[in-house]
Amino acid sequence: MTGTFIGIGVGPGDPELVTIKAAKALKTVDVICVPKSHAKKPSMALGMVKQILEERKKPAEILELVFPMSRDDLNNRKLWLESAAIVAAKAKKGNVAFITLGDPMLYSTFLYLYECVKETYPEIELEIIPGVTSVTAAAASCKLPLAEKEEVVTIMPSELNPTLIEKTAKYADNLVFMKCAHRIKEFIPTLLKAGFTDNSTVALVKRCTLPEEKVLVGKLCEVKSWDITEDYFSVAIVKKSQVPIHWKKMETV
Ligand SMILES: C[S@@+](CC[C@H](N)C(=O)[O-])C[C@H]1O[C@@H](n2cnc3c(N)ncnc32)[C@H](O)[C@@H]1O
């Protein structure tokens, strides 16, 4: 009998944000795939589930899969297919998990491997265990609502070109920038063109829910004076309104 390939979201960083369902699966699967961007770099996701794995009676086999961050789609596809073959071989003997930061269905490395396994090995059962995303965790850390009532919230990667950011931002009340959101200063002119104002609210959350978490909240006109260091693990939330928006709404009642 072929095992199941399970994508497990382990949340944004705080081990207490790993769900009960994820913890249960991590205690029983035979193999745990750990994605890494570099062989020598430690895995953040593995660190987050360390305690859960220590509680296992029989240790799981840990399989490190290295996927360097690259825009070479052809080579990336080759790597995903090679990893899919490794997963398929392991799944012949048991259940295989793939741990990923946040949620597996949101900009996750898991998605590419998942597609390759689905396509190439249709006999393998697939399961996805959702996780707390960095988006919702960042909103909690900066205490800003992501959306209220009829508000539209748009999530986008920071490397999007300014024309696309502007077009998209025009129709949104709230924006979430992921992947290198420390670049927020560069987006100010684009956001102003898209209907955001100097008084729009901005939050930059780095390494949310981790001990080294940093949160900056202010108005769009203040962002240029923020001291921002580069950090891939950052999320920016930009709200057209000046927060707290529910207070503003109360004033107009
Ligand atoms: C490849 S995406 C993975 C997103 C993840 N699947 C999720 O659901 O949050 C990586 C991006 O997620 C965000 N991210 C993940 N963990 C984070 C954290 N602890 N603090 C801030 N941003 C984080 C950053 O924007 C980072 O560039």
Side-chain angles (χ1 to χ4, degrees):
M1 202 182 79
T2 311
T4 303
F5 180 46
I6 315 167
I8 303 182
V10 296
D14 179 352
E16 290 194 3
L17 291 174
V18 176
T19 66
I20 294 170
K21 188 159 182 141
K24 269 190 187 168
L26 287 166
K27 281 188 183 164
T28 55
V29 290
D30 304 284
V31 180
I32 299 175
C33 300
V34 179
K36 290 175 104 182
S37 57
H38 194 286
K40 286 191 181 145
K41 269 194 184 166
S43 156
M44 227 163 116
L46 188 60
M48 282 150 57
V49 298
K50 191 171 167 263
Q51 202 186 326
I52 293 167
L53 300 186
E54 280 169 5
E55 286 165 12
R56 283 179 61 123
K57 288 194 186 87
K58 184 178 166 226
E61 179 186 345
I62 304 292
L63 196 64
E64 292 190 350
L65 302 175
V66 180
F67 304 112
M69 283 193 193
S70 154
R71 291 189 188 278
D72 180 348
D73 288 343
L74 219 63
N75 192 48
N76 285 344
R77 169 108 181 130
K78 190 174 147 267
L79 290 175
W80 294 119
L81 284 168
E82 281 168 13
S83 297
I86 298 172
V87 167
K90 296 286 177 191
K92 277 195 181 136
K93 296 177 210 143
N95 291 330
V96 182
F98 182 101
I99 52 171
T100 183
L101 284 180
D103 184 274
M105 304 311 264
L106 184 69
Y107 295 130
S108 164
T109 40
F110 167 72
L111 291 170
Y112 312 105
L113 183 56
Y114 167 79
E115 285 304 329
C116 288
V117 172
K118 195 165 99 176
E119 211 179 285
T120 325
Y121 307 97
E123 70 281 11
I124 298 178
E125 288 263 344
L126 300 165
E127 187 186 341
I128 290 153
I129 300 182
V132 175
T133 71
S134 55
V135 176
T136 45
S141 290
C142 66
K143 300 186 178 63
L144 288 178
L146 281 174
E148 285 184 57
K149 305 214 168 144
E150 291 84 30
E151 283 185 340
V152 172
V153 57
T154 302
I155 301 173
M156 59 180 121
S158 306
E159 65 259 55
L160 219 59
N161 78 59
T163 316
L164 257 179
I165 295 182
E166 185 186 335
K167 271 192 192 160
T168 316
K170 266 189 186 149
Y171 298 101
D173 299 292
N174 304 318
L175 302 172
V176 179
F177 289 98
M178 298 184 72
K179 302 189 190 179
C180 307
H182 60 264
R183 292 177 48 205
I184 186 72
K185 283 186 193 182
E186 294 169 33
F187 312 141
I188 300 172
T190 309
L191 294 174
L192 291 172
K193 276 199 239 164
F196 286 72
T197 70
D198 280 347
N199 285 327
S200 294
T201 309
V202 183
L204 181 66
V205 186
K206 287 184 176 185
R207 309 254 159 182
C208 64
T209 78
L210 288 159
E212 64 272 28
E213 173 179 278
K214 288 258 168 4
V215 180
L216 282 165
V217 184
K219 293 181 187 179
L220 190 59
C221 62
E222 295 163 348
V223 173
K224 55 183 178 301
S225 63
W226 284 0
D227 185 16
I228 303 174
T229 50
E230 192 177 324
D231 196 334
Y232 176 72
F233 289 101
S234 51
V235 167
I237 298 173
V238 187
K239 297 175 74 74
K240 241 173 212 163
S241 55
Q242 186 177 354
V243 225
I245 51 173
H246 45 280
W247 291 2
K248 197 172 133 195
K249 276 183 189 154
M250 277 165 66
E251 280 164 17
T252 57
V253 168

